[in-house]
Amino acid sequence: MCGILGLLLHDSNVDAAPEICEGLSLLQHRGQDACGVITCGPKGRFYQCKANGMVRDIFDANSISRLIGGMGVGHVRYPTAGSFNNAEAQPFYVNSPYGIVFAHNGNLINTASLMQFMDHTAHRHINTASDSELLLNIFAYNLQQTGKFRINEEDIFTAIGGMMSQVKGAYACVAMLAGFGIIAFRDPNGIRPVGIATRKNGTGNDFIVASESVVADAGGFTDWEDVKPGEAVIITRAGISRRQIAPPATFAPDIFEFVYFARPDSVIDGISVYRSRMAMGDALAEKVKEVLKAANIEIDVVIPVPDTSRVAALNLAQRLELPYREGFVKNRYVGRTFIMPGQQMRKKNVRKKLNAMALEFADKNVLLVDDSIVRGTTSKEIVQMAKDVGAKKVIVASCAPPIRYPNVYGIDMPSRMELVAHGRDTDAIASAIGADLVIFQTLPDLVNSVRQFNPSIGAFDCSVFTGEYVTGGVDESYLQHLESLRADNMRAKSLNLNLGALEGKGGGGTVPNGDSHEAKTGASTPVNSSDDTVGLHNTWNM
C-alpha cells in the first residue's frame, strides 16, 4: 500500500513542493519505507528528491527549496519483501516521450507478459523490478504512438485507453507531463482509491489529487470527488477534463482500506471511514454477545489495540454496556507494525510500541478488540503482554473475518503460510496466538457495515477473506509463483542483497533467480547499478 499525491497551483511562480510534502506527511500511514517528490519548473524542467525514509527525515528546508515549480507529484512507499534501494522510491520518470513523472498505488498481476511486450515490441528498458516503472513505460509507449511533436488531451486519453487494455490488476495513479499538467486515473474495478479537489486561488483554481480526502481537507481544498473506476482526469491551469476510458466492470473497492489502512477522517468512495468503523463495532458486538453467552464467559472490560480499532471498540463497549478502557499506552514514534519490512522486526517492535497497564488488566476477563488478525505475530505478543500483567482471561475480537488468502492488489500478504488463519479454524487460531477465545466478524456483517453508507457500491474486494479475485487471472499457479518470489526475496535480504521485486507499493514485478538481467526481466539490455537514479538528478542529501 502506498500514498500518491499530485498538486497543480494556479500561480506557476509559487513552488508546490512545501504543500506536497505536508500532504505526504498526512499520507505517511500508507507507507513508511520511502518517499519522493518531483516538481516541474520553468521550461518544463523536473526537480527531484527521493530516498528511503520518512517524510520528515527526507524533506528538510534545504531539500524542499531545491524543488522548483508550481506543480508536482509525491509518493510514500509501503515496504514489502522487496528492494530498499533509493532507485525504487517513487515517483518514477521517463524522458521520452514528452517527459513523464509517475506515481502508483496498487499492483499489476500480468507483469510477465508486459515485460515480454516491453522487450520484444516496445524496446523500452526497465531499470528496476517495480511494476510501477513497468506501468509508467506501458503508458509512455502508448503515448509515443501518437508520433506528434506536441500532444493534446485527446492523445492522452487515447494513450490511457491503450494502457488500460493491456494491464490487469489494481492501480490508482497520478502522472505529470512536463509543462502540460497533472493526470489521474484508476483501474476499471476501482480497487485502490484516488480523488481530486479544488481550491479557489485569485482568478483561478488550485487542484489536488490524493489517495485520501484528508489531504484535501487539510489544504483547504473543497468539492472532493473520487476518480471513478476506469476514469481518467487531465488537469491543466485551464481546467479539468474527465473521461470514462475503460468499459464497465465490477466496481469493487478494497474493503481493507476501511478496516485498517485509511485514516478515520477520510472519506473514500462516498463512505466515511470513521462511520464504517463505528458500524463494524456495532455489528461485532452482536457476534461477541452470542459467542460469550455460548461459552459462559463474562467480560469485565473492553480494551482496544491502538490505534485503528479504537472507534469500533468504543461502539462495541457501548452496545454491550461494558466499561471501555485504554489499557495499552502507545509509543507514537514507532511505525505501524503491519507495514514493518520483516517478521522479526514486527515482533521486536510490538513491545517497543505498546505498554500494558496492569491497572486495567489485573484479575480481569479482558476483551481485546483489534481491526484484524493477519500474521498473528502482533496479536500473540499483545495477548502475552495482557497475561503478563495479570489478566485472567484474554478474549480477542476481530473487526474483520479470518484472513486466509493472499492479497495480490498491493497489500503485503503474498504468502498463505504467513497468515495465521490459513488452514486453521477459530479454536486453532486462538491457540496459535495464546488467547482463551477468538471472535471474528462475519463477512456479511463487515460488508454491510461499509456498504450501508453508499448502497450504490455493489461489491467490495474481499479476496483476503474469500480467495475470489475480482480482476480474474489469479489461479493457484500464480499464487505459488508469488510465494516463490517472496521466498527468494527473503533469502536475498538475509544475505543483505538488493535484488528488487515486490517493491514497496505492493509489487508484482519479477524477481531474479540468478544474477542476470535476463533472468530478472526477460530482456538482454545492459543494466545500470541498482542504486542509480536514471536520467534525473536526485537532490537528496546534497
Side-chain angles (χ1 to χ4, degrees):
M1 195 69 63
C2 292
I4 61 174
L5 193 155
L7 179 66
L8 186 149
L9 300 180
H10 174 67
D11 187 350
S12 60
N13 294 315
V14 176
D15 289 340
E19 195 165 357
I20 293 174
C21 293
E22 290 177 5
L24 289 180
S25 69
L26 294 170
L27 295 175
Q28 189 76 84
H29 60 286
R30 300 185 67 86
Q32 300 173 3
D33 171 41
C35 56
V37 172
I38 299 179
T39 58
C40 184
K43 300 182 179 180
R45 181 178 175 182
F46 289 138
Y47 299 83
Q48 170 182 253
C49 179
K50 62 179 183 177
N52 289 349
M54 306 277 276
V55 174
R56 65 172 181 257
D57 298 323
I58 303 305
F59 294 103
D60 57 15
N62 180 53
S63 60
I64 292 174
S65 69
R66 297 174 182 271
L67 297 170
I68 301 168
M71 67 175 175
V73 169
H75 186 272
V76 288
R77 185 175 75 175
Y78 160 90
T80 63
S83 168
F84 292 85
N85 290 325
N86 291 351
E88 297 211 3
Q90 295 188 46
F92 282 113
Y93 158 79
V94 290
N95 67 347
S96 177
Y98 315 114
I100 308 171
V101 168
F102 196 84
H104 164 220
N105 175 30
N107 182 58
L108 303 183
I109 62 171
N110 64 329
T111 54
S113 61
L114 293 175
M115 289 298 257
Q116 186 175 30
F117 173 82
M118 283 286 98
D119 186 35
H120 295 181
T121 303
H123 309 307
R124 299 182 73 93
H125 173 76
I126 307 300
N127 193 60
T128 72
S130 167
D131 61 351
S132 300
E133 187 191 7
L134 178 58
L135 184 57
L136 163 59
N137 277 272
I138 294 289
F139 173 55
Y141 171 80
N142 280 277
L143 198 57
Q144 195 155 23
Q145 300 315 295
T146 64
K148 289 185 176 180
F149 176 67
R150 289 287 183 265
I151 55 170
N152 56 34
E153 293 182 358
E154 190 65 34
D155 297 323
I156 296 171
F157 283 132
T158 300
I160 295 172
M163 180 209 69
M164 286 188 175
S165 68
Q166 289 180 270
V167 304
K168 293 184 69 174
Y171 49 91
C173 305
V174 58
M176 177 170 61
L177 263 63
F180 189 94
I182 300 288
I183 304 161
F185 54 88
R186 194 177 183 189
D187 70 78
N189 298 109
I191 297 171
R192 292 282 158 249
V194 65
I196 60 176
T198 59
R199 179 179 64 193
K200 190 68 177 175
N201 185 352
T203 58
N205 290 316
D206 300 331
F207 301 94
I208 195 166
V209 176
S211 295
E212 296 186 30
S213 63
V214 63
V215 181
D217 295 339
F221 290 81
T222 58
D223 301 321
W224 173 266
E225 290 185 78
D226 297 283
V227 176
K228 296 180 179 64
E231 183 185 32
V233 182
I234 301 173
I235 304 171
T236 67
R237 290 190 171 88
I240 297 181
S241 298
R242 308 181 69 155
R243 183 174 299 181
Q244 187 67 36
I245 301 295
T250 301
F251 182 22
D254 188 350
I255 204 163
F256 217 67
E257 290 277 356
F258 301 93
V259 171
Y260 176 79
F261 274 106
R263 278 179 51 137
D265 45 349
S266 286
V267 176
I268 295 176
D269 294 314
I271 299 171
S272 163
V273 176
Y274 179 76
R275 293 290 185 190
S276 70
R277 290 176 184 169
M278 290 177 66
M280 290 176 205
D282 289 337
L284 184 58
E286 298 305 314
K287 181 67 175 180
V288 167
K289 186 176 180 180
E290 172 190 329
V291 173
L292 292 181
K293 183 178 180 180
N296 195 28
I297 296 175
E298 292 188 0
I299 295 298
D300 298 308
V301 64
V302 174
I303 294 177
V305 177
D307 280 321
T308 318
S309 63
R310 280 195 170 114
V311 176
L314 181 57
N315 267 49
L316 180 148
Q318 291 173 341
R319 181 64 66 95
L320 297 179
E321 298 182 341
L322 289 170
Y324 170 92
R325 296 289 184 269
E326 294 283 351
F328 293 104
V329 177
K330 182 179 178 182
N331 176 3
R332 299 188 180 278
Y333 303 99
V334 176
R336 300 178 91 177
T337 55
F338 180 84
I339 60 175
M340 290 289 175
Q343 186 86 327
Q344 289 303 314
M345 188 179 293
R346 292 185 195 100
K347 189 172 181 180
K348 290 177 181 178
N349 272 275
V350 174
R351 288 181 181 261
K352 293 179 183 178
K353 180 180 178 181
L354 296 176
N355 184 49
M357 291 191 293
L359 181 68
E360 299 296 351
F361 289 93
D363 299 320
K364 294 178 182 177
N365 291 341
V366 179
L367 178 66
L368 298 181
V369 179
D370 207 350
D371 52 78
S372 58
I373 302 174
V374 184
R375 299 169 179 84
T377 307
T378 300
S379 299
K380 184 175 183 178
E381 290 294 317
I382 287 173
V383 168
Q384 189 59 50
M385 287 167 64
K387 292 187 174 183
D388 287 346
V389 293
K392 286 195 299 185
K393 287 185 181 295
V394 178
I395 294 87
V396 178
S398 168
C399 294
I403 296 172
R404 293 194 166 100
Y405 301 93
N407 182 284
V408 300
Y409 300 131
I411 301 177
D412 184 23
M413 298 185 223
S415 173
R416 287 164 286 188
M417 295 302 103
E418 292 180 355
L419 304 175
V420 70
H422 182 72
R424 292 185 175 98
D425 61 16
T426 302
D427 290 340
I429 296 169
S431 177
I433 67 173
D436 295 280
L437 190 65
V438 173
I439 304 169
F440 287 100
Q441 182 97 274
T442 67
L443 184 57
D445 283 347
L446 174 62
V447 170
N448 183 62
S449 297
V450 182
R451 180 189 284 155
Q452 63 180 286
F453 299 104
N454 187 356
S456 67
I457 299 178
F460 290 89
D461 173 57
C462 300
S463 55
V464 296
F465 310 121
T466 64
E468 299 170 1
Y469 298 93
V470 67
T471 60
V474 179
D475 55 18
E476 179 63 24
S477 63
Y478 178 81
L479 295 177
Q480 288 181 359
H481 173 64
L482 278 186
E483 289 171 357
S484 68
L485 296 185
R486 180 174 177 82
D488 287 346
N489 282 334
M490 296 307 292
R491 282 194 295 272
K493 282 188 65 181
S494 70
L495 296 172
N496 202 27
L497 298 176
N498 284 313
L499 295 183
L502 297 179
E503 177 267 339
K505 38 114 248 59
T510 55
V511 179
N513 292 320
D515 296 327
S516 71
H517 183 63
E518 188 168 356
K520 190 185 302 184
T521 65
S524 56
T525 51
V527 189
N528 294 294
S529 163
S530 60
D531 290 323
D532 287 343
T533 300
V534 177
L536 193 63
H537 179 61
N538 190 358
T539 61
W540 160 242
N541 210 22
M542 283 188 63

